[in-house]
Amino acid sequence: MQSSRSLIQRVAPIFAARIRHNSKLLSSTSSSVLAKEPQSSSPSPTVQDSVYLSDNCVRRMKELQADEAKEKLLRLSIEAGGCSGFQYNFALEEKPNNDDRIFERDGVKLVVDTISLGFVKGATVDYVEELIRSGFQVAENPSAVGGCSCKSSFMVK
């Protein structure tokens, strides 16, 4: 019990600093986006704010939707964790939340919550089939300065 407590005491300042850093990043990103975009009831994404879907991603989502009675949305969200600091999380959902931005290509919809959007602006979502796994992944992310080799986690400036 003592060793786990000392580990928590050593790691807590690191996490606190990372949270403060990310909070500053998110607030500066949000304020700059709000300053540039006119206020409207449903703002359309600008080119810099977009998240793109690759041909493979669109093809796979259409295959998945063919088996479903109801249209599915692909959700991309960012979570703390992973080997590089943040990790991409993909899920299939039936409807968007109020704070989601929706990106569409050829009838396939990708939803990203506003907080996660700050980490993936300009990114491209792909579907990759490999020997050991297949799945959705972020192929290119201009906000990432590094990441792991499996492309499931990343770090930001």
Side-chain angles (χ1 to χ4, degrees):
M1 186 65 157
Q2 182 64 24
S3 65
S4 66
R5 177 162 287 169
S6 65
L7 176 64
I8 292 170
Q9 290 172 339
R10 289 183 299 187
V11 175
I14 295 169
F15 285 128
R18 183 60 118 173
I19 290 169
R20 282 192 302 275
H21 177 331
N22 292 336
S23 177
K24 288 177 188 174
L25 177 69
L26 288 173
S27 64
S28 68
T29 302
S30 298
S31 63
S32 67
V33 168
L34 290 174
K36 292 177 186 175
E37 288 185 6
Q39 295 295 323
S40 67
S41 59
S42 63
S44 61
T46 64
V47 172
Q48 302 132 335
D49 292 348
S50 293
V51 178
Y52 304 97
L53 297 132
S54 72
D55 293 338
N56 285 337
C57 177
V58 171
R59 178 189 51 78
R60 182 61 180 147
M61 278 300 294
K62 286 184 175 186
E63 290 171 358
L64 292 171
Q65 289 178 358
D67 297 336
E68 298 289 327
K70 198 168 189 181
E71 179 185 60
K72 294 288 186 179
L73 308 169
L74 179 63
R75 172 172 298 283
L76 169 59
S77 59
I78 305 302
E79 297 176 352
C83 52
S84 298
F86 295 99
Q87 60 188 4
Y88 302 110
N89 186 30
F90 289 97
L92 294 177
E93 295 187 359
E94 292 184 3
K95 61 181 182 175
N97 297 326
N98 291 337
D99 70 334
D100 287 337
R101 295 283 295 269
I102 301 172
F103 304 95
E104 185 173 353
R105 179 175 170 209
D106 297 335
V108 172
K109 294 179 182 175
L110 171 76
V111 293
V112 182
D113 64 89
T114 54
I115 293 174
S116 297
L117 182 61
F119 292 99
V120 294
K121 287 180 184 177
T124 300
V125 176
D126 195 10
Y127 181 79
V128 179
E129 295 182 50
E130 299 170 340
L131 280 174
I132 58 172
R133 72 179 182 109
S134 60
F136 295 101
Q137 69 181 26
V138 175
E140 299 172 21
N141 184 354
S143 298
V145 294
C148 64
S149 61
C150 67
K151 295 188 177 183
S152 63
S153 70
F154 68 102
M155 62 183 126
V156 294
K157 295 180 195 177

